[in-house]
Amino acid sequence: MKTRNVLLAVTGSIAAYKAAELASELVQNDLSVRVILTRGGSRFISPQTFEGITGNLVASDLWGTGAGESAMEHLRLASWAEVLIVAPATADAIARLAGGRSDDLLGASALAFRGPVLIAPAMETNMFTHPATMANLELLTRRGATVIGPESGRLASGSIGSGRMSEPSEIARAVRDALRTSQSLAGRKVLVTAGPTREPIDPVRYIGNRSSGKMGYAVATEAQRRGAEVLLISGPTSLARPTGMEVIEVETSDEMRAAVLHNAPNQAVIVMCAAVADYKPSRASDGKLKRGEAQHIDVTATSDIAAEAARLAPDAVHIGFALESGPLVTAAREKLRRKGQALVVANGITPDHNPFGSETNQVVFVTESGERAFPPATKVEIGRWLWDEIEGILLSRSSTERT
Ligand code: CTP
């Protein structure tokens, strides 16, 4: 089997000593490891440590003055690597990655690299929870990077808090995971809908809902991370438009329907995350309604886009979402049958938990033959579980076709 290549960047934190253990575990996993040691990193650990562990020269300088480095080292490293892991990642390294800086070897290599990026932060609690660091990590996550940890525990200052780098074994597991999925959807076309729809009452008012689009964007980003050709059809959200995928922005359920049905043929997978309005005003007023004029609004049912898409593109794997206040699984399975879907992600809405707008959710995957309940998790994590499951469905379909 071909040896897989891991680029490990070590930046200036006391947790750098744990990076040696990480490098060692990766080498023991039969991975080929090259290390970028930043100037800050080299204050905590020597290049010889990593050279001894990995058997490869350590790279440090963008301008190639180190042994074995060329002036184009960042491009060589970026095309060699299959995964980039920054561990430990300081607040500064995270800010520089988020800002797209390229004035050192790590920044330039990260910009030139197109594969999965993992970040294991390590810093004092206040630095980690500072809005600047949080915003930088959120930006990197939205671009498809995976943040591992940090954990809570004893920090370099002696205080106890969040900011401790995750254990090397956990980071190594994430690296193996990233390698497993990095191109697992290559060559597949995937359509994802996200966000709410707005059904106009008049030029200023609409019927809408509280969907933030976070789940759908996470699903689209994860598919892209796995190498799929992604089309995201999004209702109005306040989220940054993802890069590296085609995005069609729509407002009403009719516009979403047209965009989905136009693009449904030829897709391998269609994931309907959008919270589509079930009703729209029968007629939108051309002029702004006066006080008293809109006491009563006639509504018409919208068409079920998911069910139509499943009829139009029967060869695709169709995935739905179901938000329920009552018993989850029976209602979700009923929807799955009604809409012709392979899997429905069921989530509950209770007085204590409203998944709309939240960063986290708790879901159950429901298929015709079974169900699988998951613990509460971030929407990014749920996106990963969902694609693991969908890949299983794609695999079983292709093996059925072969037999
Ligand atoms: N959906 C759709 N078109 C609609 C309404 C919903 O494609 N007009 C899709 C959603 O994207 C989601 C799934 O159907 O994947 C379930 O949405 P949900 O609102 O939970 O179910 P409904 O079919 O609308 O049923 P109900 O509102 O009665 O629960």
Side-chain angles (χ1 to χ4, degrees), residues 35 77 375 378 382:
V35 173
L77 287 172
T378 63
I382 294 170

Side-chain angles (χ1 to χ4, degrees), residues 250-261:
V250 298
E251 191 157 318
T252 64
S253 59
D254 284 338
E255 288 168 7
M256 184 166 281
R257 174 177 180 271
V260 170
L261 298 187

Side-chain angles (χ1 to χ4, degrees), residues 146-170:
T146 303
V147 178
I148 307 155
E151 288 169 11
S152 279
R154 208 185 129 77
L155 301 169
S157 62
S159 64
I160 307 285
S162 175
R164 227 178 117 87
M165 188 173 89
S166 293
E167 288 310 310
S169 56
E170 193 190 329

Side-chain angles (χ1 to χ4, degrees), residues 304-364:
D304 190 325
I305 305 172
E308 280 193 88
R311 282 195 296 272
L312 188 68
D315 292 340
V317 174
H318 292 269
I319 310 294
F321 274 69
L323 182 64
E324 309 292 342
S325 301
L328 269 187
V329 174
T330 7
R333 190 161 290 128
E334 186 278 317
K335 274 182 196 169
L336 172 134
R337 287 183 189 142
R338 178 156 46 91
K339 295 173 194 249
Q341 293 166 328
L343 183 149
V344 165
V345 181
N347 51 154
I349 179 162
T350 64
D352 298 331
H353 180 70
N354 183 347
F356 273 34
S358 168
E359 292 296 334
T360 58
N361 200 359
Q362 185 167 8
V363 299
V364 184

Side-chain angles (χ1 to χ4, degrees), residues 204-225:
V204 291
R205 304 177 181 93
Y206 58 83
I207 298 175
N209 62 67
R210 295 180 199 272
S211 167
S212 64
K214 285 177 187 161
M215 189 66 240
Y217 278 51
V219 168
T221 303
E222 179 61 16
Q224 183 197 20
R225 213 177 62 75

